[in-house]
Amino acid sequence: MNYSYVSHLYCPKCSKKYEADVVQNLCDCGSPLLVEYDLDSLKKDWKKSDLNGRENNLWRYHELLPVKDKKNVVSMGEGMTPLIEMQAIGNDMEIENLYMKDEGIIPTGTFKARGAAVGISKAKELGVKELAMPTNGNAGASWSLFAARAGISSTIVMPIDAPKITRNECAVSGANLYLVNGLISDAGKIVGEAVKEHGLYDVSTLKEPYRIEGKKTMGLEIVEQFNWEIPDVILYPTGGGVGLIGIYKALKELQALGWIDEEKMPRLVAVQSEGCAPIVKAWEKGKKESEFWNESETIAFGINVPKALGDFLVLNAVYETNGCAVSISDEAVLEEQKLLSQKEGTFVCPEGAAAFYAARQLRKNGWITEEEKVVVLNTGAGIKYPNTVEVDVQVLEKNESIQPANDRTAKKL
């Protein structure tokens, strides 16, 4: 058996094919490129039982990943995050079978580590020496840290309002870090010019083909964790939308391998903020692509993407699975984040809280039924966004006593 069954790259718009053994970015037509595998050979050679005893990280699926030689794998144990049953919040929403795929415990604290691990590993295999990317924070943190592990230099540009902790992660990794007084779209323009001028490898969202392959492992894991059964609904906080595209790609590949039911797909839900909802607006109008969202702003910084390069792929995944797209207010995000912590003991990121609130709303309007199996992606750890929580804590003098929580609650009542 081969370590990888990668075949080639192809354009989902014009169908042009490209080699996977040299550095590639966008298609000549401007579309992102996707990775194709020799699924016919893989179907003969690879069985579910082959996964037995393999390491519990995303590289357990290496046949369906693009790195050809194991020696090029750059890993910190990322992947195989827990799928947690959320009974208390599920009861509150009246969803009997509610689960959270928790990406907050992954290296670097967000699901971005998946794309970075696979993207950096392939970059190493292709001989890349220096990469560049714009980021809202977490992707830059993950890519700069994995690049450091691989011995690859990185140049990162992020909005000045990006979470400070992600700025620190980039800086401590030794990245060539810049802040821009603007949005990620402004950072993208600066990176684009630097790529042209200095010949850097552009790893902006969907401008290289391999980030999707790392993100798609969330889909592979969800299905394996459900013993190869398909959930009814998967909700995903959507900025660039790479994870949602990846999950859809993973499910289609598993269908082609005969590992899951060819007739069933989960309904995919793209969740955005009311302050930046280009995908939602396009879906509501039945369009195949979105329009640039002017003056975007949201506390869920990771989904503050005014125009996604792969918006047509996100919308296609939603349409093809009979899914939907919904937007959530910042106030609802903060309320849901607090509720999740108090009822489940899970401090999720704002983007994850938005996805949970979307599930609540879709259950309320009947789009999700009570008995359906629903998976919500929490894409990062809440502690990476310390500014989303404001607390007023009582300060004690040295000789003061405390009052038990139950007593305080009783007095409030």
Side-chain angles (χ1 to χ4, degrees):
M1 284 182 64
N2 299 326
Y3 188 75
S4 170
Y5 280 69
V6 63
S7 172
H8 60 274
L9 307 176
Y10 72 96
C11 175
K13 278 193 172 179
C14 72
S15 302
K16 186 174 180 179
K17 294 181 180 180
Y18 292 83
E19 294 180 17
D21 292 330
V22 294
V23 171
Q24 306 281 10
N25 286 108
L26 299 178
C27 177
D28 292 338
C29 75
S31 168
L33 296 175
L34 298 178
V35 182
E36 184 66 68
Y37 298 86
D38 182 359
L39 295 176
D40 290 335
S41 296
L42 190 54
K43 187 174 183 178
K44 297 174 186 175
D45 297 345
W46 198 36
K47 308 299 178 189
K48 294 176 188 175
S49 58
D50 292 327
L51 296 174
N52 295 339
R54 287 194 179 180
E55 54 192 354
N56 277 331
N57 59 45
L58 64 80
W59 296 101
R60 66 193 281 107
Y61 310 112
H62 58 78
E63 289 90 345
L64 206 53
L65 292 173
V67 179
K68 290 185 174 182
D69 192 331
K70 186 177 180 179
K71 71 181 182 182
N72 293 314
V73 169
V74 181
S75 177
M76 297 188 223
E78 60 288 335
M80 201 44 77
T81 54
L83 189 63
I84 304 168
E85 190 169 4
M86 307 290 278
Q87 288 185 334
I89 204 75
N91 289 338
D92 192 61
M93 294 182 185
E94 297 184 359
I95 300 176
E96 291 180 1
N97 301 295
L98 181 66
Y99 296 82
M100 174 174 68
K101 180 70 169 164
D102 189 9
E103 297 291 292
I105 66 168
I106 209 167
T108 76
T110 77
F111 75 123
K112 302 287 187 179
R114 293 180 184 269
V118 176
I120 291 292
S121 297
K122 191 62 181 179
K124 179 183 176 183
E125 188 161 81
L126 296 174
V128 170
K129 301 301 180 185
E130 184 170 353
L131 58 83
M133 72 182 304
T135 175
N136 269 330
N138 280 317
S142 293
W143 281 74
S144 59
L145 288 163
F146 274 86
R149 188 171 178 83
I152 296 173
S153 299
S154 59
T155 292
I156 310 293
V157 184
M158 63 172 63
I160 198 167
D161 292 332
K164 185 178 179 182
I165 192 167
T166 60
R167 182 195 310 179
N168 292 349
E169 286 176 289
C170 293
V172 79
S173 76
N176 183 28
L177 175 65
Y178 296 90
L179 303 178
V180 60
N181 189 16
L183 300 172
I184 189 171
S185 50
D186 301 299
K189 292 174 184 175
I190 293 171
V191 168
E193 289 300 317
V195 166
K196 289 178 184 177
E197 187 174 348
H198 304 292
L200 308 179
Y201 181 40
D202 191 346
V203 296
S204 307
T205 302
L206 292 180
K207 287 190 177 179
E208 59 81 44
Y210 304 108
R211 185 189 301 207
I212 290 177
E213 298 306 294
K215 301 284 186 68
K216 83 178 182 188
T217 58
M218 291 185 289
L220 300 176
E221 288 177 19
I222 288 169
V223 178
E224 184 181 1
Q225 287 170 318
F226 278 134
N227 196 28
W228 310 106
E229 293 292 326
I230 306 297
D232 296 293
V233 180
I234 298 177
L235 297 100
Y236 185 83
T238 304
V242 179
L244 191 144
I245 298 166
I247 289 170
Y248 178 68
K249 186 174 188 288
L251 295 169
K252 296 295 287 185
E253 288 171 348
L254 288 177
Q255 286 180 336
L257 292 174
W259 285 25
I260 61 174
D261 188 344
E262 292 184 16
E263 301 299 321
K264 185 179 179 184
M265 268 281 184
R267 306 196 305 281
L268 298 178
V269 180
V271 181
Q272 298 200 294
S273 166
E274 288 181 356
C276 184
I279 298 293
V280 176
K281 184 178 179 181
W283 176 77
E284 288 174 345
K285 294 183 177 181
K287 292 186 175 181
K288 294 183 178 180
E289 296 187 10
S290 67
E291 298 175 0
F292 188 90
W293 191 278
N294 291 308
E295 299 180 2
S296 62
E297 185 178 1
T298 173
I299 197 167
F301 209 75
I303 54 176
N304 190 8
V305 180
K307 169 71 173 173
L309 181 63
D311 54 2
F312 70 101
L313 294 169
V314 174
L315 287 161
N316 179 67
V318 171
Y319 291 136
E320 288 295 314
T321 61
N322 295 313
C324 68
V326 296
S327 59
I328 308 299
S329 71
D330 280 359
E331 292 76 18
V333 166
L334 294 176
E335 189 58 39
E336 194 70 31
Q337 186 184 47
K338 185 190 299 182
L339 201 59
L340 283 158
S341 296
Q342 293 175 353
K343 286 187 173 292
E344 296 284 3
T346 56
F347 186 19
V348 305
C349 65
E351 297 84 1
F356 271 101
Y357 191 80
R360 181 182 298 279
Q361 290 298 97
L362 291 171
R363 172 69 190 97
K364 190 176 291 184
N365 68 23
W367 194 86
I368 291 174
T369 60
E370 185 174 1
E371 72 286 350
E372 286 188 305
K373 187 178 288 185
V374 178
V375 177
V376 176
L377 269 294
N378 173 45
T379 50
I383 56 174
K384 297 200 77 173
Y385 299 79
N387 294 335
T388 62
V389 179
E390 294 184 9
V391 293
D392 183 16
V393 182
Q394 182 180 351
V395 178
L396 300 174
E397 298 300 328
K398 293 178 182 179
N399 60 349
E400 283 189 89
S401 61
I402 63 170
Q403 190 175 8
N406 287 337
D407 287 353
R408 293 176 67 182
T409 302
K411 287 188 176 182
K412 284 181 184 178
L413 294 175

